Amino acid sequence: MNISELPRRALVALGLPAVLIVLWWFLSANSTSFFWPPLSSIVEAFPRTWTADPILHDVLPSLARLAAGYLTALVAGVAAGTAIGSSRTLRALTEPALEFLRAVPPPVLIPVIALFAGYTGWTAKVIAIALGCVWPILLNTVEGVRSLDEVLRDTARSYRFGRAATLWHVVLRGSSPLIATGARQALSIGVILMVISELFGANRGLGAAIVQFQRGFAIPQMWTGIVLLGLLGVTLSGLFRLVEHRHLAWYRGLRQAERGV
């Protein structure tokens, strides 16, 4: 990317959020509603609410559970998706069950998971996040592996690639654009489930803190939790884009070559 384009890209990326913040600020400035406080009150409450203690005991554990569940789903989804996508028989056997399971909304499973794994502790929350995140990764991996050009597999066989080399350099590399698409969708699902899983029997965590603020009628503090969730979502999305940009550079180059750019 040309350095001279950075100001224009920054303006495009930050323009709409800046406009929305300005609108929120002025539209809520004279608000007397208890549940819709002025944005200035929320901004003032933010540093008083999210001090070192809640960040250490609420935010970081929530992020750690999100990371554990998301990485579990990533490994399981890519492994199962590669196996299913590589075998027509396995795909035919599993497709009805996959369609049934992915149709079940993940939040519905949280109380069921908690019955078996317990309402407190990390296990139920990590399982809930992993079960919600695994479907977009798995299904996109199946589609990515299934749609690989057979010429690539034939070329690998011609060059006498071993199974491990074929899997790594042909199958996973060739399907990585779709795997990345599924992983990006799963990240937003993981953030949602991170919050929802903490609404059931948890006394610490970002979701639990927001609920406690709401139950205690600490409305500006509740809004600061929602704003913090949004900021975390933007940060995680930015980190994902950085990783994706680095590992899919070959794909962007291929698309540009196909378009004659």
Side-chain angles (χ1 to χ4, degrees):
M1 181 176 62
N2 195 332
I3 295 178
S4 62
E5 293 182 355
L6 281 176
R8 186 183 65 83
R9 285 176 175 265
L11 185 63
V12 170
L14 300 176
L16 181 58
V19 169
L20 292 176
I21 290 171
V22 170
L23 281 176
W24 186 4
W25 185 281
F26 284 104
L27 290 176
S28 65
N30 297 319
S31 174
T32 56
S33 169
F34 179 74
F35 298 105
W36 181 251
L39 181 56
S40 57
S41 301
I42 299 171
V43 172
E44 288 175 9
F46 198 98
R48 287 185 278 108
T49 305
W50 300 105
T51 56
D53 181 72
I55 288 176
L56 187 63
H57 295 99
D58 290 318
V59 179
L60 293 183
S62 292
L63 292 177
R65 288 191 284 268
L66 172 63
Y70 181 79
L71 292 176
T72 302
L74 187 63
V75 173
V78 171
T82 302
I84 295 169
S86 301
S87 168
R88 288 185 180 180
T89 305
L90 191 58
R91 201 160 58 243
L93 286 172
T94 57
E95 192 169 14
L98 293 179
E99 292 296 333
F100 172 82
L101 291 172
R102 80 164 179 169
V104 179
V108 174
L109 297 176
I110 293 176
V112 180
I113 296 168
L115 286 175
F116 291 98
Y119 279 89
T120 59
W122 284 41
T123 306
K125 298 174 182 60
V126 172
I127 292 174
I129 293 169
L131 281 180
C133 291
V134 74
W135 298 112
I137 299 172
L138 189 151
L139 295 174
N140 277 280
T141 304
V142 171
E143 188 59 28
V145 174
R146 192 184 66 80
S147 60
L148 278 178
D149 193 342
E150 281 300 318
V151 174
L152 292 175
R153 297 180 188 269
D154 293 339
T155 304
R157 279 192 287 269
S158 300
Y159 280 96
R160 296 183 179 180
F161 277 26
R163 287 189 176 183
T166 302
L167 175 65
W168 182 255
H169 293 291
V170 178
V171 177
L172 291 179
R173 194 174 180 83
S175 55
S176 58
L178 275 176
I179 294 175
T181 301
R184 191 185 311 117
Q185 295 170 353
L187 187 59
S188 58
I189 293 173
V191 173
I192 294 169
L193 288 173
M194 176 191 77
V195 176
I196 294 177
S197 65
E198 291 171 352
L199 303 182
F200 295 87
N203 54 8
R204 299 307 302 252
L206 187 49
I210 293 173
V211 171
Q212 287 170 4
F213 289 142
Q214 182 259 333
R215 289 174 179 169
F217 296 99
I219 302 303
Q221 287 77 6
M222 182 195 74
W223 279 102
T224 63
I226 295 171
V227 171
L228 180 59
L229 266 177
L231 293 174
L232 288 174
V234 171
T235 304
L236 292 173
S237 176
L239 291 174
F240 186 91
R241 281 179 179 274
L242 283 177
V243 175
E244 187 183 43
H245 186 82
R246 179 180 177 83
H247 289 281
L248 292 183
W250 66 272
Y251 181 66
R252 289 197 310 280
L254 179 65
R255 295 294 302 272
Q256 288 173 355
E258 289 174 348
R259 294 170 181 168
V261 177

